[in-house]
Amino acid sequence: MAGLSLLHPMAFAFGLLGNIISFMTYLAPLPTFYRIYKNKSTEGFQSVPYVVALFSAMLWIYYALLKSNELLLITINSAGCVIETLYIAMYLLYAPKKAKLFTAKILLLLNVGVFGLILLLTLLLSAGQRRVVVLGWVCVAFSVSVFVAPLSIIRQVVRTRSVEFMPFSLSLSLTVSAVVWFLYGLLIKDKYVALPNVIGFSFGVVQMGLYALYRNATPRVPAKDVADDASKDKAPGEHVVVTIAKLTAATTAPAAAVAEDLVKVHDGHPEEAAKGAAKPAENGAGRSDAEQV
């Protein structure tokens, strides 16, 4: 197996490190779900990042099984499937009726409909190595589309001159994760694992650069307006979550990650973040929380 062969000790090392980083990322939302359990309410949190992370993990498991030599991808994404399923189950347990219906629709559409369609088409319209190639590019396309999510955070940081919703440690962990999985993909000569992480690394570097530029800057927009803006668009934490979901599953290939969410949302201001997003949540479009990795 390419990832485990003694002929590829460095690939094994990077794959194992990627598993550890990605697993920690999957566990990052635990404080969020402890809060949901404690309050018996989903408050302003959203289920979409967890549904996307589950879909991403399912997609990469399918790819790894087809390729038949990617045990390190199977292990982390299998763990991701279990963890994300538990998150979604708990969300459904405590969510209001509209949010439950919204989550059920997204699950059926993405994790049953879209995944089932991909499974059916790849099995019927391709075979052998061609099937692996087709699915590989599907995984790359999905991963790249999820990686675009941080653009909203970057825009908000530039507009407000505030890094309140973009903790440095989170950006750093995403960058490190992208580097590790890129090197793993490179060493096992799998471009479908390596390519998405080039984009992930680029976004991570941009985010860290913006943090350095604006960390001591005077914000242009009051914190209240930032929170209100977050509830209009998409909560910054939600974008971070999806990115992570993607990084965890897309690099595993990382989120969303999805993973994407999935990690503590507004690092240092969770209460304000939840309040700013609480109302939309009742309409099935609540906001996600994210925890630093």
Side-chain angles (χ1 to χ4, degrees), residues 59 118 122 133-143:
L59 202 58
I118 291 172
T122 52
V133 171
V134 170
L135 184 59
W137 283 114
V138 170
C139 291
V140 170
F142 175 75
S143 299

Side-chain angles (χ1 to χ4, degrees), residues 195-229:
L195 281 177
N197 292 291
V198 175
I199 299 175
F201 172 77
S202 301
F203 276 120
V205 170
V206 169
Q207 288 182 32
M208 289 190 294
L210 286 175
Y211 185 91
L213 182 63
Y214 292 118
R215 63 175 179 169
N216 295 320
T218 302
R220 287 176 180 163
V221 182
K224 182 179 181 301
D225 292 340
V226 174
D228 290 341
D229 182 67

Side-chain angles (χ1 to χ4, degrees), residues 107-127:
L107 272 171
L108 288 174
L109 175 65
L110 190 62
N111 299 71
V112 178
V114 175
F115 183 77
L117 184 62
I118 291 172
L119 186 67
L120 187 63
L121 291 178
T122 52
L123 290 175
L124 294 180
L125 303 181
S126 58

Side-chain angles (χ1 to χ4, degrees), residues 216-281:
N216 295 320
T218 302
R220 287 176 180 163
V221 182
K224 182 179 181 301
D225 292 340
V226 174
D228 290 341
D229 182 67
S231 66
K232 277 185 204 170
D233 237 345
K234 262 192 178 191
E238 176 184 329
H239 291 302
V240 173
V241 163
V242 174
T243 302
I244 290 191
K246 180 283 169 142
L247 268 176
T248 11
T251 53
T252 55
V258 260
E260 2 163 24
D261 243 141
L262 300 179
V263 261
K264 185 154 176 131
V265 131
H266 305 309
D267 182 59
H269 300 281
E271 299 296 331
E272 293 177 14
K275 285 179 185 175
K279 282 213 163 187

Side-chain angles (χ1 to χ4, degrees), residues 8-274:
H8 300 80
M10 291 300 292
F12 174 76
F14 281 116
L16 187 60
L17 181 59
N19 268 248
I20 294 171
I21 294 173
S22 297
F23 184 73
M24 295 304 294
T25 301
Y26 276 126
L27 294 181
L30 281 177
T32 295
F33 282 89
Y34 175 73
R35 177 174 171 176
I36 289 174
Y37 169 75
K38 185 178 179 180
N39 296 333
K40 301 295 186 289
S41 169
T42 55
E43 298 179 349
F45 304 123
Q46 186 186 29
S47 61
V48 172
Y50 309 102
V51 175
V52 170
L54 177 60
F55 174 77
S56 182
M58 291 166 60
L59 202 58
W60 282 101
I61 287 175
Y62 179 36
Y63 170 78
L65 288 173
L66 280 185
K67 197 172 179 186
S68 73
N69 62 351
E70 294 295 350
L71 184 58
L72 290 173
L73 293 184
I74 294 174
T75 54
I76 185 57
N77 284 291
S78 296
C81 281
V82 173
I83 293 171
E84 298 303 331
T85 299
L86 291 175
Y87 287 157
I88 294 169
M90 182 174 287
Y91 183 90
L92 288 172
L93 182 63
Y94 295 113
K97 185 177 180 180
K98 287 184 179 180
K100 286 181 180 178
L101 290 174
F102 177 77
T103 301
K105 288 178 182 178
I106 294 297
L107 272 171
L108 288 174
L109 175 65
L110 190 62
N111 299 71
V112 178
V114 175
F115 183 77
L117 184 62
I118 291 172
L119 186 67
L120 187 63
L121 291 178
T122 52
L123 290 175
L124 294 180
L125 303 181
S126 58
Q129 186 58 30
R130 180 174 175 78
R131 182 180 296 160
V132 175
V133 171
V134 170
L135 184 59
W137 283 114
V138 170
C139 291
V140 170
F142 175 75
S143 299
V144 169
S145 67
V146 174
F147 260 134
V148 173
L151 287 175
S152 177
I153 308 175
I154 292 173
R155 181 187 64 180
Q156 185 157 298
V157 169
V158 172
R159 186 169 62 83
T160 64
R161 296 173 60 87
S162 171
V163 294
E164 179 181 3
F165 300 137
M166 191 179 70
F168 179 81
S169 58
L170 182 56
S171 299
L172 177 62
S173 67
L174 293 179
T175 305
V176 171
S177 178
V179 170
V180 169
W181 283 109
F182 169 77
L183 291 174
Y184 174 76
L186 194 65
L187 289 169
I188 65 172
K189 299 179 181 179
D190 190 329
K191 60 177 175 286
Y192 308 115
V193 173
L195 281 177
N197 292 291
V198 175
I199 299 175
F201 172 77
S202 301
F203 276 120
V205 170
V206 169
Q207 288 182 32
M208 289 190 294
L210 286 175
Y211 185 91
L213 182 63
Y214 292 118
R215 63 175 179 169
N216 295 320
T218 302
R220 287 176 180 163
V221 182
K224 182 179 181 301
D225 292 340
V226 174
D228 290 341
D229 182 67
S231 66
K232 277 185 204 170
D233 237 345
K234 262 192 178 191
E238 176 184 329
H239 291 302
V240 173
V241 163
V242 174
T243 302
I244 290 191
K246 180 283 169 142
L247 268 176
T248 11
T251 53
T252 55
V258 260
E260 2 163 24
D261 243 141
L262 300 179
V263 261
K264 185 154 176 131
V265 131
H266 305 309
D267 182 59
H269 300 281
E271 299 296 331
E272 293 177 14

